[in-house]
Amino acid sequence: MNTRACQLKHGNSTICGLDGNLWLPLAMRLFRRKVAATGPPLESTPVAFAEPEVKTNELLLTPEELPTGFSYPRGLLRLVELELFELEPWWILTGDHLRALNRGMAERYPQRRLILFAKRQDNDDAACWDLESGKVAIVHDFASPGWEARGEFPDFNSWLHSAIDDLIEF
């Protein structure tokens, strides 16, 4: 298995040698802490907030909406569970927006069996599962049929690594 090592800095500490299954959740936790620490000062009276439970089945396509035999990979379910929807320039699509864009793509490219899950914010590229090839396809939405293919990845984790690289460079 080909895993990428990374190096993260947190304060004066360096965290080395984390593989792809561990570094993304850790990096996002550190990012959230840093963002939270830069916010406005808290009032003197502490207030407790209960975090709402994220229901991935309401945010993503339901089993009834998905083609028979397809299920979301664990990596995407984990992103939704952690509420990591904005991996600039990629957005993980959810809810009614996901459903509307997925329907539109099916109408524009009826010859392809695609399940949309992410879209770039700076152009019309979309990441989809191509049910014919089993790969993640990058489709330039609204291109003429036959001209929409922009690239592909062997699986979701490969796409996610590329999306993280895009996030760093964006």
mmCIF file of all heavy atoms in Angstrom, residues 51-71:
data_model
loop_
_atom_site.group_PDB
_atom_site.id
_atom_site.type_symbol
_atom_site.label_atom_id
_atom_site.label_comp_id
_atom_site.label_asym_id
_atom_site.label_seq_id
_atom_site.Cartn_x
_atom_site.Cartn_y
_atom_site.Cartn_z
ATOM 1 N N GLU A 51 -23.206 20.308 20.625
ATOM 2 C CA GLU A 51 -23.007 20.161 19.184
ATOM 3 C C GLU A 51 -24.099 19.276 18.605
ATOM 4 O O GLU A 51 -24.371 18.213 19.138
ATOM 5 C CB GLU A 51 -21.642 19.549 18.893
ATOM 6 C CG GLU A 51 -20.537 20.535 19.043
ATOM 7 C CD GLU A 51 -19.322 20.134 18.245
ATOM 8 O OE1 GLU A 51 -19.469 19.475 17.198
ATOM 9 O OE2 GLU A 51 -18.237 20.491 18.684
ATOM 10 N N PRO A 52 -24.722 19.733 17.511
ATOM 11 C CA PRO A 52 -25.757 18.901 16.903
ATOM 12 C C PRO A 52 -25.136 17.647 16.314
ATOM 13 O O PRO A 52 -24.015 17.657 15.826
ATOM 14 C CB PRO A 52 -26.333 19.793 15.803
ATOM 15 C CG PRO A 52 -25.254 20.776 15.506
ATOM 16 C CD PRO A 52 -24.482 20.955 16.791
ATOM 17 N N GLU A 53 -25.874 16.574 16.375
ATOM 18 C CA GLU A 53 -25.408 15.315 15.800
ATOM 19 C C GLU A 53 -25.575 15.376 14.287
ATOM 20 O O GLU A 53 -26.625 15.741 13.782
ATOM 21 C CB GLU A 53 -26.250 14.162 16.357
ATOM 22 C CG GLU A 53 -25.818 12.809 15.849
ATOM 23 C CD GLU A 53 -26.707 11.703 16.386
ATOM 24 O OE1 GLU A 53 -27.175 11.824 17.535
ATOM 25 O OE2 GLU A 53 -26.922 10.734 15.652
ATOM 26 N N VAL A 54 -24.507 15.087 13.576
ATOM 27 C CA VAL A 54 -24.558 15.103 12.115
ATOM 28 C C VAL A 54 -25.080 13.758 11.641
ATOM 29 O O VAL A 54 -24.549 12.715 12.000
ATOM 30 C CB VAL A 54 -23.155 15.369 11.529
ATOM 31 C CG1 VAL A 54 -23.208 15.311 10.013
ATOM 32 C CG2 VAL A 54 -22.629 16.701 12.000
ATOM 33 N N LYS A 55 -26.120 13.799 10.856
ATOM 34 C CA LYS A 55 -26.696 12.568 10.327
ATOM 35 C C LYS A 55 -26.289 12.462 8.865
ATOM 36 O O LYS A 55 -26.836 13.153 8.016
ATOM 37 C CB LYS A 55 -28.217 12.587 10.487
ATOM 38 C CG LYS A 55 -28.619 12.620 11.948
ATOM 39 C CD LYS A 55 -30.106 12.616 12.108
ATOM 40 C CE LYS A 55 -30.449 12.637 13.590
ATOM 41 N NZ LYS A 55 -31.854 12.765 13.827
ATOM 42 N N THR A 56 -25.312 11.598 8.600
ATOM 43 C CA THR A 56 -24.781 11.500 7.245
ATOM 44 C C THR A 56 -25.834 11.036 6.258
ATOM 45 O O THR A 56 -25.783 11.409 5.093
ATOM 46 C CB THR A 56 -23.574 10.549 7.198
ATOM 47 O OG1 THR A 56 -23.973 9.270 7.674
ATOM 48 C CG2 THR A 56 -22.426 11.064 8.015
ATOM 49 N N ASN A 57 -26.806 10.257 6.715
ATOM 50 C CA ASN A 57 -27.814 9.768 5.772
ATOM 51 C C ASN A 57 -28.732 10.888 5.290
ATOM 52 O O ASN A 57 -29.354 10.762 4.256
ATOM 53 C CB ASN A 57 -28.609 8.604 6.367
ATOM 54 C CG ASN A 57 -29.349 8.986 7.621
ATOM 55 O OD1 ASN A 57 -29.080 10.015 8.232
ATOM 56 N ND2 ASN A 57 -30.283 8.143 8.026
ATOM 57 N N GLU A 58 -28.854 11.994 6.032
ATOM 58 C CA GLU A 58 -29.655 13.123 5.574
ATOM 59 C C GLU A 58 -28.841 14.050 4.692
ATOM 60 O O GLU A 58 -29.392 14.743 3.856
ATOM 61 C CB GLU A 58 -30.210 13.896 6.767
ATOM 62 C CG GLU A 58 -31.217 13.107 7.573
ATOM 63 C CD GLU A 58 -31.681 13.852 8.804
ATOM 64 O OE1 GLU A 58 -31.248 15.000 9.006
ATOM 65 O OE2 GLU A 58 -32.452 13.276 9.568
ATOM 66 N N LEU A 59 -27.550 14.086 4.890
ATOM 67 C CA LEU A 59 -26.689 14.967 4.118
ATOM 68 C C LEU A 59 -26.308 14.374 2.774
ATOM 69 O O LEU A 59 -26.143 15.086 1.799
ATOM 70 C CB LEU A 59 -25.423 15.290 4.916
ATOM 71 C CG LEU A 59 -25.647 16.082 6.212
ATOM 72 C CD1 LEU A 59 -24.354 16.209 6.994
ATOM 73 C CD2 LEU A 59 -26.221 17.454 5.905
ATOM 74 N N LEU A 60 -26.141 13.066 2.726
ATOM 75 C CA LEU A 60 -25.755 12.381 1.497
ATOM 76 C C LEU A 60 -26.970 11.715 0.860
ATOM 77 O O LEU A 60 -28.047 11.691 1.449
ATOM 78 C CB LEU A 60 -24.683 11.339 1.811
ATOM 79 C CG LEU A 60 -23.384 11.889 2.401
ATOM 80 C CD1 LEU A 60 -22.453 10.758 2.787
ATOM 81 C CD2 LEU A 60 -22.718 12.847 1.439
ATOM 82 N N LEU A 61 -26.779 11.180 -0.329
ATOM 83 C CA LEU A 61 -27.864 10.443 -0.973
ATOM 84 C C LEU A 61 -28.201 9.218 -0.126
ATOM 85 O O LEU A 61 -27.313 8.554 0.405
ATOM 86 C CB LEU A 61 -27.455 10.023 -2.378
ATOM 87 C CG LEU A 61 -27.122 11.154 -3.355
ATOM 88 C CD1 LEU A 61 -26.643 10.588 -4.680
ATOM 89 C CD2 LEU A 61 -28.296 12.087 -3.540
ATOM 90 N N THR A 62 -29.466 8.933 0.000
ATOM 91 C CA THR A 62 -29.912 7.802 0.811
ATOM 92 C C THR A 62 -29.714 6.503 0.025
ATOM 93 O O THR A 62 -29.557 6.527 -1.200
ATOM 94 C CB THR A 62 -31.402 7.952 1.160
ATOM 95 O OG1 THR A 62 -32.152 7.902 -0.053
ATOM 96 C CG2 THR A 62 -31.669 9.251 1.909
ATOM 97 N N PRO A 63 -29.749 5.359 0.710
ATOM 98 C CA PRO A 63 -29.635 4.077 -0.015
ATOM 99 C C PRO A 63 -30.689 3.927 -1.112
ATOM 100 O O PRO A 63 -30.421 3.318 -2.146
ATOM 101 C CB PRO A 63 -29.827 3.028 1.088
ATOM 102 C CG PRO A 63 -29.361 3.707 2.329
ATOM 103 C CD PRO A 63 -29.767 5.159 2.159
ATOM 104 N N GLU A 64 -31.869 4.505 -0.905
ATOM 105 C CA GLU A 64 -32.916 4.442 -1.924
ATOM 106 C C GLU A 64 -32.557 5.283 -3.144
ATOM 107 O O GLU A 64 -32.981 4.983 -4.260
ATOM 108 C CB GLU A 64 -34.262 4.910 -1.350
ATOM 109 C CG GLU A 64 -34.833 4.011 -0.271
ATOM 110 C CD GLU A 64 -34.150 4.201 1.090
ATOM 111 O OE1 GLU A 64 -33.603 5.285 1.374
ATOM 112 O OE2 GLU A 64 -34.157 3.227 1.868
ATOM 113 N N GLU A 65 -31.798 6.370 -2.939
ATOM 114 C CA GLU A 65 -31.412 7.251 -4.040
ATOM 115 C C GLU A 65 -30.169 6.746 -4.783
ATOM 116 O O GLU A 65 -29.944 7.120 -5.927
ATOM 117 C CB GLU A 65 -31.121 8.664 -3.517
ATOM 118 C CG GLU A 65 -32.334 9.364 -2.951
ATOM 119 C CD GLU A 65 -31.975 10.663 -2.249
ATOM 120 O OE1 GLU A 65 -31.199 10.624 -1.272
ATOM 121 O OE2 GLU A 65 -32.473 11.721 -2.702
ATOM 122 N N LEU A 66 -29.376 5.917 -4.127
ATOM 123 C CA LEU A 66 -28.145 5.397 -4.723
ATOM 124 C C LEU A 66 -28.434 4.177 -5.587
ATOM 125 O O LEU A 66 -29.375 3.433 -5.311
ATOM 126 C CB LEU A 66 -27.146 5.007 -3.628
ATOM 127 C CG LEU A 66 -26.538 6.153 -2.825
ATOM 128 C CD1 LEU A 66 -25.760 5.612 -1.640
ATOM 129 C CD2 LEU A 66 -25.645 7.011 -3.709
ATOM 130 N N PRO A 67 -27.623 3.959 -6.614
ATOM 131 C CA PRO A 67 -27.802 2.745 -7.421
ATOM 132 C C PRO A 67 -27.576 1.498 -6.584
ATOM 133 O O PRO A 67 -26.791 1.504 -5.631
ATOM 134 C CB PRO A 67 -26.712 2.865 -8.491
ATOM 135 C CG PRO A 67 -26.299 4.290 -8.487
ATOM 136 C CD PRO A 67 -26.564 4.812 -7.113
ATOM 137 N N THR A 68 -28.247 0.431 -6.934
ATOM 138 C CA THR A 68 -28.104 -0.837 -6.228
ATOM 139 C C THR A 68 -26.647 -1.278 -6.252
ATOM 140 O O THR A 68 -25.990 -1.223 -7.287
ATOM 141 C CB THR A 68 -28.982 -1.919 -6.894
ATOM 142 O OG1 THR A 68 -30.326 -1.452 -6.912
ATOM 143 C CG2 THR A 68 -28.898 -3.233 -6.146
ATOM 144 N N GLY A 69 -26.148 -1.679 -5.094
ATOM 145 C CA GLY A 69 -24.778 -2.171 -4.982
ATOM 146 C C GLY A 69 -23.745 -1.103 -4.670
ATOM 147 O O GLY A 69 -22.603 -1.424 -4.364
ATOM 148 N N PHE A 70 -24.106 0.185 -4.761
ATOM 149 C CA PHE A 70 -23.146 1.252 -4.458
ATOM 150 C C PHE A 70 -23.307 1.683 -3.010
ATOM 151 O O PHE A 70 -24.416 1.847 -2.516
ATOM 152 C CB PHE A 70 -23.352 2.465 -5.367
ATOM 153 C CG PHE A 70 -22.391 3.583 -5.062
ATOM 154 C CD1 PHE A 70 -21.112 3.585 -5.609
ATOM 155 C CD2 PHE A 70 -22.745 4.618 -4.211
ATOM 156 C CE1 PHE A 70 -20.216 4.592 -5.320
ATOM 157 C CE2 PHE A 70 -21.852 5.636 -3.909
ATOM 158 C CZ PHE A 70 -20.585 5.623 -4.476
ATOM 159 N N SER A 71 -22.198 1.876 -2.337
ATOM 160 C CA SER A 71 -22.213 2.473 -1.001
ATOM 161 C C SER A 71 -21.051 3.449 -0.914
ATOM 162 O O SER A 71 -20.018 3.273 -1.562
ATOM 163 C CB SER A 71 -22.123 1.396 0.086
ATOM 164 O OG SER A 71 -20.927 0.659 -0.058
#
